[in-house]
Amino acid sequence: MPLPRGLPIVDHHCHLSPSGEGVAAARRFRSAGGTHLFLATQNYASTVPATLEEYREQFETTERIAREVRDLTGVVVFAVVAPYPIDLVHTAPRLGIGAAVELQRRALDLAGVWVRERRAVALGEVGRPHFPIPDELREPVETVFRHAFEVAREADCPLVVHSSDLDPAGFRELASRAREVGFPPERVVKHYARSRVGRAEGDGVVPSYLARRELVRDVSSDPGPWFLETDFLDDPARPGAVLDLATVPRRAAALAQRFDDAEARLAVPFVESVERVYRLRLEAPATGAP
Ligand SMILES: [Zn+2]
C-alpha cells in the first residue's frame, strides 16, 4: 500500500544550516512524504560559542531556519536546543575548565527557558563526547550532563542524549542517571541508536534509531517507544557523511509496501512515541505544500 494518508512522517533528529541546503533539503523531505522534523541546533560558526550571547544567537538561528522551513514547505518543525557536549572540549583550553563548565551550565539554563517559552520542545543534544577525552575533562563533562538532567526536570521536557554507541547496559546507566536527579528515564532519548534495544532491556530509555534499511525493518515490529532519524548534517563539505533527509519517508514507504499492518507499525514512531515522550499530538498537515 502507499504511505497511509493522514499519518505524520517524522524525522526525529536532523540539522539544517544557513550555509547548507536548508529549505531545499526540507523540500526533498516533503516531496518524499515527510511531514514533521525535529530540528536540533548546532554550531553554525567556524568557532565554538565562547559566550552565552553566542549560544543565544545559535539558538535564534535554529529558530529562524525552523520558521523558514515551516513557511516555505509546510513541514512542521520542532526546535531542540542545548549547548553541544563536545563544545566543552574546545572551550576548556581557551576559557579554563571552571569558566567552560559555567558557560555550559548557563547555556543549558537558557535552553530550559526556551522550552518553558515553547520556543523548543526538548533539550538536546546533551551528554558525552563520542571519542576519548583528556582525563581532567571527565568530571566536568559529567557535571554538565547532570545539570542537563536537572534543567530538563525543571522544564518538564525530554532530554536528547548524544554519546558513543550504547549497548543495553549503557541505556540502563542513563536510566539510573535520570533517576538520581528525579527525572523519568522514559523521557530520555538516546539519539543515533544503531542497534535494537528493547524497552525492558533499556530500562525505559528511548532509542532514536538511525534509519538504516535493515535496522528499520528489524525494529518496526517493536511496541515502542522508539523513533527514526537521519541525523542529517546539512554540510555540503561532507555529503554522504549521514543519511539524506528524504530517508525516513522513503523507509516508511518501503514498510508500507512490505507489511499489511504497516500503518500500525508506523504509528509507533510517528504518533504514539511522540505523544508519550513529548506529549505532542501530531497530525499530518493537509496535503499540498504551499
Ligand atoms: Zn545531531
Side-chain angles (χ1 to χ4, degrees):
M1 68 178 177
L3 272 176
R5 269 178 171 278
L7 184 75
I9 305 289
V10 185
D11 188 327
H12 174 264
H13 189 98
C14 71
H15 302 272
L16 292 173
S17 166
S19 58
E21 281 189 284
V23 170
R27 278 212 177 90
R28 209 162 52 241
F29 173 74
R30 179 71 203 247
S31 306
T35 60
H36 294 70
L37 292 173
F38 284 76
L39 179 67
T41 191
Q42 71 183 92
N43 183 10
Y44 304 106
S46 54
T47 54
V48 167
T51 64
L52 187 63
E53 204 39 48
E54 286 173 352
Y55 275 113
R56 193 188 310 277
E57 286 164 16
Q58 179 187 310
F59 297 174
E60 284 168 356
T61 300
T62 308
E63 186 174 56
R64 196 182 69 237
I65 296 169
R67 194 167 47 235
E68 283 171 9
V69 168
R70 256 182 242 124
D71 291 350
L72 298 172
T73 72
V75 169
V76 179
V77 188
F78 301 112
V80 175
V81 297
Y84 196 46
I86 291 161
D87 291 355
L88 183 70
V89 177
H90 298 285
T91 48
R94 284 165 60 199
L95 305 178
I97 291 177
V101 167
E102 189 53 27
L103 175 59
Q104 293 274 304
R105 292 175 61 98
R106 292 178 62 202
L108 283 166
D109 292 340
L110 177 65
V113 170
W114 273 53
V115 171
R116 277 194 293 273
E117 292 176 348
R118 302 192 179 262
R119 297 170 79 176
V121 296
L123 244 58
E125 306 167 32
V126 302
R128 304 173 173 126
H130 54 278
F131 49 83
I133 55 171
D135 277 344
E136 68 268 23
L137 289 182
R138 282 173 196 278
E139 208 181 295
V141 162
E142 295 306 316
T143 302
V144 171
F145 193 17
R146 185 184 171 89
H147 189 60
F149 280 102
E150 292 165 348
V151 174
R153 182 192 63 206
E154 296 310 310
D156 194 21
C157 71
L159 191 70
V160 179
V161 173
H162 170 106
S163 70
S164 52
D165 200 21
L166 298 181
D167 60 8
F171 273 64
R172 291 195 293 275
E173 191 266 341
L174 289 182
S176 63
R177 290 295 303 266
R179 286 200 187 91
E180 272 168 31
V181 298
F183 186 74
E186 294 75 17
R187 300 197 90 188
V188 178
V189 182
K190 165 62 177 100
H191 118 81
Y192 209 78
R194 278 161 284 170
S195 41
R196 189 179 187 176
V197 178
R199 183 173 157 74
E201 266 185 325
D203 200 8
V205 171
V206 178
S208 180
Y209 292 114
L210 190 63
R212 289 181 179 149
R213 191 173 286 107
E214 308 72 38
L215 186 56
V216 173
R217 218 160 40 212
D218 286 353
V219 303
S220 75
S221 57
D222 288 358
W226 51 271
F227 298 105
L228 291 177
E229 64 169 67
T230 54
D231 198 20
F232 181 67
L233 284 182
D234 200 15
D235 182 351
R238 297 173 61 199
V242 286
L243 298 175
D244 185 69
L245 198 58
T247 306
V248 169
R250 285 193 190 130
R251 298 286 184 260
L255 287 185
Q257 293 287 340
R258 187 184 175 99
F259 297 110
D260 289 339
D261 63 346
E263 186 158 3
R265 289 179 187 234
L266 293 170
V268 172
F270 299 154
V271 179
E272 293 161 22
S273 300
V274 177
E275 195 163 340
R276 279 164 74 171
V277 178
Y278 287 84
R279 300 176 190 151
L280 290 170
R281 198 179 261 277
L282 302 194
E283 282 167 29
T287 42

